[in-house]
Amino acid sequence: MPFSGLLLGLLGVQNDGARDPGKTGDTTVIHVIVQGDTIAHAQWTWYRPVTSLVVNLLGYSVIHTGTGPYTYAHIENLKHIKTFKSYEGNSTYEIYDTFHPIALFREMVYGWLGIPVSLARLERWDALAEWFFPTQEITAVNTDATVKLHEVPLTPDPTVPVADPTAVDPALPEVVNPQPAVAPIVLPNSEDGPDLAEPSAPAVPDTVAPSEAPELPTVEGVPAPAIGDDAAETPAIADVGASVPSDGDALLPAA
């Protein structure tokens, strides 16, 4: 992009050119670049200089320095599209794609206003912005002329290992067949347990001898009940309410 140094100077960025991978030797250097970032890859269409300037300003504000969900701050949300390797040194360039700077700027303004933006709407804005001003993809030949690159197979994205829930932590002591503690039940026996006394028969109160029985009070005209051997000679008392024949009445059979 012509006058890129002047543009970056207006943004407060010192343009000292791309890093020379040959000067880093065998040290592994990984560069992460998001398409649309003005610092890494400025957009320029010679017959649309004003629009190019606006798109670059937006790319710097919403991609390079932005903290939205589709910027460097959340690289996990972006699509990994290319991997470049330097001919000199040991530098790798990982290229990620995001939405058009104009679409991301609209999404940022909606966020300021508290209006949520769905992914479907953001994709429509991106398609409209690409129609209005197509962005240029990064290739191995349109980068800085001082850096010679070639495209290599895409580097697999790092994955976060998932802990095995059945794995045993080696730092914890090993427990073999843990069982809940249960107090033993000890049954006494004749050898090593306390002797159990035989149950005793319930005490039976002594009976009172007839000779020692107290004299019962008598009522005039009513004989006292017999006690002891005299009870056998006492005639039975008829049932209350029974008919007792008087002298001279004949006993008739029941009808």
Side-chain angles (χ1 to χ4, degrees):
M1 173 184 175
F3 310 110
S4 60
L6 177 61
L7 173 62
L8 295 177
L10 295 175
L11 298 175
V13 179
Q14 182 181 358
N15 184 17
D16 54 359
R19 178 179 299 172
D20 185 359
K23 294 181 179 181
T24 58
D26 295 334
T27 303
T28 301
V29 180
I30 299 177
H31 303 264
V32 177
I33 300 173
V34 177
Q35 292 193 142
D37 177 12
T38 305
I39 304 301
H41 187 245
Q43 302 294 319
W44 177 253
T45 301
W46 65 270
Y47 55 87
R48 301 179 67 180
V50 176
T51 306
S52 300
L53 179 62
V54 171
V55 171
N56 282 305
L57 291 174
L58 295 179
Y60 177 81
S61 62
V62 299
I63 298 177
H64 186 78
T65 62
T67 58
Y70 303 103
T71 64
Y72 287 102
H74 295 279
I75 200 72
E76 71 279 1
N77 295 334
L78 306 184
K79 184 179 180 180
H80 190 191
I81 57 173
K82 294 179 182 179
T83 299
F84 297 142
K85 196 78 174 178
S86 63
Y87 282 104
E88 298 180 357
N90 189 21
S91 294
T92 304
Y93 301 80
E94 305 294 351
I95 312 301
Y96 289 81
D97 192 23
T98 187
F99 296 102
H100 196 284
I102 296 178
L104 292 177
F105 179 73
R106 294 184 65 179
E107 188 265 345
M108 184 176 64
V109 173
Y110 272 55
W112 291 342
L113 299 176
I115 304 174
V117 178
S118 64
L119 181 60
R121 173 178 290 185
L122 190 56
E123 290 175 347
R124 291 195 300 269
W125 289 352
D126 180 70
L128 183 61
E130 286 290 346
W131 172 83
F132 173 72
F133 185 89
T135 55
Q136 303 169 3
E137 294 186 359
I138 300 176
T139 65
V141 297
N142 67 357
T143 57
D144 196 304
T146 61
V147 180
K148 303 299 182 182
L149 305 176
H150 63 282
E151 188 170 355
V152 296
L154 192 66
T155 302
D157 291 332
T159 57
V160 178
V162 179
D164 184 3
T166 62
V168 179
D169 189 351
L172 298 177
E174 183 179 0
V175 179
V176 179
N177 297 329
Q179 297 292 336
V182 178
I185 300 176
V186 179
L187 298 177
N189 52 56
S190 59
E191 296 181 358
D192 46 22
D195 294 335
L196 298 179
E198 291 293 334
S200 58
V204 179
D206 297 336
T207 59
V208 180
S211 60
E212 300 177 358
E215 295 181 0
L216 298 179
T218 59
V219 181
E220 184 178 357
V222 179
I227 300 177
D229 297 337
D230 296 336
E233 300 176 358
T234 303
I237 301 174
D239 294 337
V240 177
S243 177
V244 179
S246 61
D247 294 341
D249 293 337
L251 295 177
L252 297 178

